[in-house]
Amino acid sequence: MFAVIIIILVIWASMWAFYKFMYPRPPKSMMPKEGDVITPRQCNFCGNSLAEYRGVLETKPIMAAASDNPIDANQELFFCNYEHQADFHAGKIYDPHA
Ligand SMILES: [Zn+2]
């Protein structure tokens, strides 16, 4: 009976060590800092969803002020990175295999 318990404990311990090794904690720089907005947002280019502070938020103040449509006035664009932002404005269509 004790053998069973010891085997379970040994397996549990080695699995725990294995997962610790396989999935280490992300570095501190990847973690949200104080004041970071962690609301999930969807990329306007590829549709990927990620926390706001990790992506690029773009507000359109000049165009929106001139617009009569109130929906346009507070429209924000969000992107994963500057590459997606550039591709979006270049009028490209998202290609997951590119
Ligand atoms: Zn994206």
Side-chain angles (χ1 to χ4, degrees):
M1 192 61 207
F2 280 116
V4 174
I5 292 163
I6 285 164
I7 294 292
I8 286 167
L9 283 176
V10 166
I11 291 168
W12 176 82
S14 52
M15 288 303 281
W16 179 83
F18 177 73
Y19 277 100
K20 266 274 180 253
F21 171 74
M22 287 297 288
Y23 305 102
R25 256 171 193 284
K28 264 238 154 67
S29 59
M30 298 272 292
M31 295 301 213
K33 285 176 263 314
E34 217 174 283
D36 281 343
V37 184
I38 56 164
T39 320
R41 296 191 67 128
Q42 220 174 23
C43 178
N44 280 88
F45 184 64
C46 72
N48 183 35
S49 163
L50 75 164
E52 192 175 297
Y53 79 100
R54 302 201 54 188
V56 183
L57 192 64
E58 183 185 312
T59 46
K60 297 201 278 185
I62 304 148
M63 289 279 288
S67 171
D68 292 330
N69 189 342
I71 297 162
D72 284 351
N74 41 18
Q75 196 187 11
E76 288 175 328
L77 291 171
F78 181 75
F79 303 101
C80 308
N81 49 41
Y82 294 114
E83 204 176 313
H84 280 185
Q85 187 181 24
D87 285 352
F88 178 85
H89 290 296
K92 288 186 191 169
I93 292 161
Y94 178 62
D95 175 12
H97 306 293

